[in-house]
Amino acid sequence: MEALISLIIGVLTTCGVYLLLRSRTFPVVLGLTLLSYAANLFLLAMGRLVIGAPPIIADEMSGYTDPLPQALVLTAIVISFAMTAFVIVLALKTYKELGNDHVDGIHKP
Amino acid sequence: MNLLLIVLVPFFGAPLAAAISRLGRLHAAWMAGAVALLATILLLPGLIEVFGGHVLIQRLSWIPTVGLDLVFRLDGLGLLFALLILGIGMLIILYARYYLSAQDDMGRFYAYLLLFMGSMLGIVLSENIIQLLIFWELTSLSSFLLISYWQHRHESRSGARMALTITGAGGLALLGGCLLLGKIAGSYELSVILESGDIIRAHSLYQPMLILILLGAFTKSAQFPFHFWLPNAMAAPTPVSAYLHSATMVKAGVFLLARLFPALAGTPEWFWLVSVTGLATLLAGAYIALWQHDLKGLLAYSTISHLGLITLLFGIGTPMAAVAAVFHIINHAIFKASLFMAAGIIDHEAGTRDMRRLRGLWQFMPHTALLAIVAAAAMAGVPLLNGFLSKEMFFTETWHHIDQPWGWLMPACATLAGIFAVAYSLRFIHNVFFDGAPLNLPKTPREPPRWMKIPVEVLVALCLLVGILPMLTVEPILSIAAGGVLQGPLPEYNLAIWHGFNPAFWMSIIALTGGVLVYFGFSAFLSLRTHAGEWPEMKAVYHYALTWLFFACQRFVRWLHIDSLQRMLFFLMLFAVSLGAASFLAGDAVLTGERDLLPIDGVSLVVALIMMAAAIGTVLLHRQRLVSLIMIGAVGLGVALIFAKFSAPDLALTQLSVEVVSIVLMLLALYFLPQYTPAESKPLQRGRDLLLAMLAGGGVTALAWAVLTRPYETIADYFMAHSVPDGGGHNVVNVILVDFRGYDTLGEITVMALAGLGIYAMLEHLQLKGPSHDSLKRPWNEDKHPLIMASLTRVLLPLALLVAVFILLRGHNLPGGGFIAGLITAVALITQYLANGVAWTQARLAINMHTVIATGLLLAALTGVASWLFGYPFLTSAFGHLDWPLVGEFELASAMAFDLGVYLVVVGVTLLIIVNLGMVHSDSASVKTRHKIR
C-alpha cells in the first residue's frame, strides 16, 4: 500500500509540475490544484498510513493515527481553495485587461 | 526611569515641534528649546549621582526571550557627552532660529534636529551595545535628513547620500563587530564587557572583531580614508554642520573608542591600526584644510584633522593619552562649534563663503570678527586658550614611543600637523578679516542680530575660561569623564599653562612660528590654487565604486530576472529537484526503511488506478479545458477516498465539500475564458518540461516511500492525552484546530478572509461578455433554471442546512467542525444560486457577506480575548482548568464559539467569491445594482 500511495503522490506531482509549466493561465491553475492534492497527501503520509484508527477518542479504540498532520492538512485544503479561487479570478481579470490568457500577458505568435 | 526619559523626550518632542510650527514659524524653535531644556533638567539628578562617584544603570525589560533589555548607563564619559549634546544643542537651537531664512521650514528642521539629539543621547547613555548600535544607526539616518534639509539642492542630496552610504556601511561593520564582541565577552552589556578586557584581547576572534568595530568608529568619525563624506556633508545648513559635523555626531566614533578603551586597547593591533589611522588623518586633514577656499571646507578638513588627533591619542593607548583625548574632545567641540557658527554668520551676512572674495571683514563686523579670531586662535593652540592645553598634552604623549625605532616620526608628524593647523587658523583670521577689501560680495556685510551672536559668545567665553582657569572650570568633569574611559585610577596630571621648557613647549613654539611662516610664505600662492590638493581623490574613488556597484546590480538583476513566468518556474523547479537529488546522493542513506508494510487490497488498487488515469488524462487532454476540469474533479474525489481510507474522516469530508465548491468556481471562470488552449510549446520544450516533471514526481515518490517505510516518533501524544480532559473534545483533529493550535487557525481564516476580499476587489467593476455559444458553436440553452432542479434544490435546502448545523455541533467530538459545516452550507446555498439564479436567490438571501466574514473573524478573535478575562493567554488551551469542573464546561463552549467564527468566515468567503464571480456577466449588471450585492 505504501508503494501505491507513493506512486499516486508522484504521479500527481508529475502532472502538476507539467501543467504548471504551460503557457496559459487555466492549465497552470489546474497544475496548482494537482500539486496541492499531492502536497496534502504527502503531508498526511507523514503520519504514516494507518487504517481504521481515526483520532477520535473512544473507549473501545486501542490505537489512533497521528492527528497532527490531519489538522495541518485540513487547514491546507481550505487555504489552497482560497488561493485557487484567488488565482483563477486573477486569471479572469488579466484576461479581461490584456485580451489574452498567456501567463506573461503577451500573445506569442 | 529618568535615563530612558532623557532619551525619549527629544523623540517625543520632534513631532510636537513639527506640529506646532503650523501655528507660527518661531514656535518650533521655542518648542525645541523647551524639549532640550527639559532633557537637561532630567539629567540633573544623574549628574549629582555621577559626581558622587556612582555609575547609574537603569534596566527595562525589552525582549526577555532573547535576553535583551533596555539598559541605560550614566557614568562620567556618558555624562560629559550628554552635557555636550544638550548644552551645544540648546545654543544651536537658538542660533538656528536666526540662521534659517523665511523660506525654510522651521518645523521640519527642529524635528530632525530633535530626532538627532535623541539618537545621540541614546548612543552615549546605552549600556547594551546592541541598543547602542540602534541609536548609532538612528544618528546616521537623522544626519541624512539634516544634510539633505535643502532638498532642492543637488549637492545636499548627494552629500547626504554619501554620508549615509559611508556611515551606514560602517554601521554594518560595527554590527558584526558588536555581535562578535558580545559573543566573546558573553554579554552585550558594557559593565561585563569592560570588566573582561583580558579575555577579549586573548580571544582568537579579537582581530576580526577589532577591525569591524574600528571600521564603524572610523567611518563615523571621518578618519582617513573614509573622511571624504564630511566635507561633502557641509552642504547642510551651518547649524547642522556646527552641531553634528563638528561637536557631536562625528565624535560618536571617538566616543566608541573611548567607551571600549578598557576592553580593546593595549594590544599591538590596537596601537598600529588606531594610531596610524589617526596620524594619517591628522596630517592629511591639516594639510588639505590649508588649501580650501570654502570657509566651511577649511573647518571641515580641520575637523577631520582634529578627529585624527583624538584617534591618535587613543591609539597611543596610555592612560595619560586617554585623558588628553577626552580633554581635546571637550575643547574641540567648544571652539569648532563656535567657529562654524561664526562662519555661518559670515555666510549669512556676506552671502558667500569663498575666501578669495571675503577680505577685510573686520571693518564691517568687528564684534563677530573678534569672536572668530579668539576661537580660531584656540584651534591653532595659542596659549591662554583651551586648545593650547590639550594640544600641549598631545605633544607630550607623542614622545611616549620615542625609544622605539622610528619613534621620532610621531612627534615630527605631530609638529608638522601643528604647523599646518596654525597656518590654516591664521588663514581663517587674516584672509577673512584683514588683507585688503572684500571683492564683489553679493551683499554688504554687517553685524548679525544680537541674539545670533549669543551662542558664539558663550562658547568663546568657555574657550577663554578653560584656557585660563582649567582647574576651576574643566577639571571636575574631565576627571570623571576620563575615569569613565579608563574604568580605573586616573594618572597624575596637572592642567597648568606653564609646564617648563619640556619638549612639548618647544614643539608648540615650532608649530606657532612655523605656521606663521608657512602662511605668510605661501599666502600669495594659496588663493591662486584652484584645486583642493587632495590625493588620492577619495571622492572620485567613491563615485567610481558606486557607479560600478549600480552597474553590477543592474547586470545581476537582468541576469536573475527573466521576463517569463514559464522559464522562472522551470528554473525554480529545476533548482528544487537538483537540491533534493544532491542532498540525497551526498548522504549514504538507504531508500527503504524497515517498517512493516500494509497489504494492497483490490478496491484500493482500482481507486488508485482510476485516480492516476484521471490525473494523466487531465494532462493529456488539458487543451480541452472542460474535459480536463471534469478529470481533475475525479482526482479530487479520489483524494477524498484516500483520506477516508487512512483514518482521516475530517479530511475526507473537507476535501469532498471543497472539491464541489472549487469545481463550480472553475466552471464559472471557464465560462468566460477561452475553451481551448492553443498548442504553443515546441516538442522540444514539451519534452524538456515532461522530463523535469517526471524527475520531480520521481523525487517525491522516492521521498514519500522513504518516509512511509520508516518508523517514527509522534509528537502528538500530548494532544491525544489532553484532548478530552483539557480540550473537552473527543475529535482530536478538531480540538487541535480550535483549541491547542487555535492561534494558527485564526491566522488561516484571516488569510481566507483576505483572499475573499482581494477577489472581491478584483471583481468589482469587472464586466465580461459571456459567449453566446459554447465551444462547439451550439447556442446556450435559453432555459437557464430548469424546473425540476429548481424545485428539488428548494426542498433540499433546509435538509442541507440541518446537516451543516449537525456537522458543526458534533465537530468537537465526531468528524465535522466549522470548516466542513461552512463548506456544506456554502454548497447548499450555491446550489440555490445555480438552480434559481442570482436574482431570485439574492432577493431571499439579502445578507452582506462582508458583515458575515467580519462577524466570524471578530467572534473567533473575541473568543481568544475572552481567555484573558480568565487569566489565561490568548486563545488558551484548557490546560490547567482541571481543578474546575465548571470551567471545563465553559471551555467547551468557548471552543464552540471559535468554531462558529470559523464557520461564518468560510461561508462568507465562499459565497462572496462565487456570487461575485457569477455577477461578472454583463447581463447581471442590472441585478447587481438592483440588489446592491456586496
Side-chain angles (χ1 to χ4, degrees), chain A residues 22-24 37 48 50 66, chain B residues 647 659 680 689 710 712:
Chain A
R22 296 305 91 207
S23 61
R24 299 288 162 157
Y37 290 157
R48 305 301 185 274
V50 184
D66 194 336
Chain B
S647 319
E659 200 53 41
E680 277 178 324
D689 290 351
R710 281 173 165 77
Y712 86 121

Side-chain angles (χ1 to χ4, degrees), chain A residues 1-2 10 14 21-24 37 48 50 52-53 55-57 64 66 70 79 90 93 96 101 104, chain B residues 565-566 598 600-601 625 647 659 680-681 689 701 707 710 712 714 716 720 730 732 748 762 766-767 815:
Chain A
M1 198 65 96
E2 276 78 2
T14 308
L21 297 171
R22 296 305 91 207
S23 61
R24 299 288 162 157
Y37 290 157
R48 305 301 185 274
V50 184
I56 292 165
I57 311 280
Y64 306 99
D66 194 336
Q70 294 196 14
I79 290 288
L90 193 63
K93 180 90 175 171
K96 158 82 176 169
D101 65 340
D104 298 332
Chain B
L565 181 72
Q566 275 177 290
L598 293 169
I600 297 180
D601 59 288
R625 294 184 170 177
S647 319
E659 200 53 41
E680 277 178 324
S681 323
D689 290 351
T701 303
V707 173
R710 281 173 165 77
Y712 86 121
T714 176
M720 301 301 288
H730 291 264
V732 186
E748 317 253 8
M762 280 197 286
L766 180 69
Q767 280 191 15

Side-chain angles (χ1 to χ4, degrees), chain B residues 20-48:
Chain B
I20 205 171
S21 72
R22 285 156 202 251
L23 304 178
R25 257 172 62 75
L26 299 180
H27 288 48
W30 286 108
M31 185 70 199
V35 166
L37 191 66
L38 177 63
T40 315
I41 292 168
L42 285 170
L43 187 65
L44 288 180
L47 185 131
I48 295 160

